Amino acid sequence: MKKVLLALLLLFIFSTSSLCFAFDWQTTPPEQKPKLALLYVNNSKTTYDDEIDKKMNDNFTSLLSNYDIIAGTKYVERLNKNGITDITTAERGDIIDAFKGEDVDYVLFCEVQPFVRKERITFFTYGIDMTAIVPIKIIDLKTEKYIYNGKFTEFVSDSSMIGGIGNKSVSMSALDKVIFKMNTIIEARLPLSKHVTPKQE
């Protein structure tokens, strides 16, 4: 009799624990990252575009690690088909239309524009002034509102007694300053939460 009671007690404990586990598994949804479409364009037209792309892409990979990144290539193509070849001129509505029917929460557009270069030459020195210009747009596709729409312009100057300063080193320094300020804005403005559609009763 004792063995039967013990067996029934063990069966009850096992059944109860299994039920609790099943309940927890069914009511605790998996964490989901917000879906973010990244539209990155490099129009700097330099001889070191590949290095610029690597710097920008490495930065976005680190900065946006809490998001499910969606490649923006097909959305850029949609905008181009609609006659918008320069995305910086695209209105908010144009960008939103390119994402109609897509399961995306946010879109981040970033363009590296051509650097503005100036030379400074004196009897003793040779210098280069380089300005990096990077406009960005962040749009909440669910509310269809801008989160941020602006432009980062950073200036760096370098000089040498003999010369030999390359455009690349000065450009990259200017771009580093842009990235620092851009990241500050993105981290402050871009929500970490995913839009949740309320369940229908």
Side-chain angles (χ1 to χ4, degrees):
M1 186 66 179
K2 289 183 179 180
K3 290 183 178 180
V4 174
L5 290 173
L6 180 60
L8 290 172
L9 179 61
L10 290 173
L11 180 62
F12 174 78
I13 293 171
F14 177 78
S15 300
T16 305
S17 62
S18 298
L19 179 62
C20 291
F21 175 79
F23 179 80
D24 289 342
W25 181 80
Q26 291 173 1
T27 58
T28 305
E31 291 185 1
Q32 291 185 325
K33 294 181 178 181
K35 290 186 178 181
L36 177 109
L38 177 61
L39 280 63
Y40 164 71
V41 180
N42 183 357
N43 281 327
S44 59
K45 296 179 174 61
T46 68
T47 57
Y48 41 92
D49 275 3
D50 288 346
E51 294 179 57
I52 291 174
D53 289 339
K54 185 178 186 309
K55 179 184 285 288
M56 295 298 291
N57 287 323
D58 286 350
N59 175 71
F60 283 130
T61 298
S62 174
L63 178 68
L64 303 174
S65 61
N66 291 319
Y67 300 86
D68 182 7
I69 306 300
I70 310 298
T73 307
K74 73 174 183 178
Y75 305 109
V76 173
E77 291 174 354
R78 287 181 186 178
L79 288 166
N80 291 340
K81 287 180 181 178
N82 290 335
I84 303 170
T85 55
D86 181 0
I87 305 180
T88 56
T89 65
E91 298 292 336
R92 177 174 50 86
D94 297 323
I95 297 175
I96 291 170
D97 285 343
F99 286 88
K100 287 295 184 185
E102 300 285 343
D103 180 23
V104 181
D105 295 290
Y106 310 103
V107 57
L108 168 61
F109 166 73
C110 172
E111 177 185 1
V112 179
Q113 295 186 340
F115 293 90
V116 178
R117 179 183 184 277
K118 290 184 179 180
E119 291 186 352
R120 293 177 289 101
I121 302 174
T122 68
F123 187 77
F124 296 105
T125 63
Y126 170 77
I128 293 177
D129 297 340
M130 198 71 76
T131 302
I133 304 170
V134 178
I136 73 166
K137 300 175 187 281
I138 307 174
I139 298 175
D140 184 327
L141 292 171
K142 303 302 182 182
T143 63
E144 300 188 350
K145 294 181 179 180
Y146 272 124
I147 294 174
Y148 184 80
N149 183 18
K151 181 187 293 184
F152 298 93
T153 303
E154 293 298 327
F155 167 85
V156 168
S157 180
D158 201 359
S159 61
S160 167
M161 291 295 292
I162 302 174
I165 298 173
N167 292 335
K168 176 181 167 183
S169 62
V170 189
S171 297
M172 289 299 196
S173 294
L175 192 58
D176 283 338
K177 292 177 69 175
V178 163
I179 288 173
F180 176 79
K181 291 192 174 181
M182 177 184 73
N183 288 359
T184 301
I185 289 293
I186 292 175
E187 288 177 334
R189 302 287 185 90
L190 187 60
L192 285 169
S193 58
K194 180 179 178 64
H195 281 288
V196 178
T197 302
K199 292 182 180 180
Q200 298 296 325
E201 296 294 338

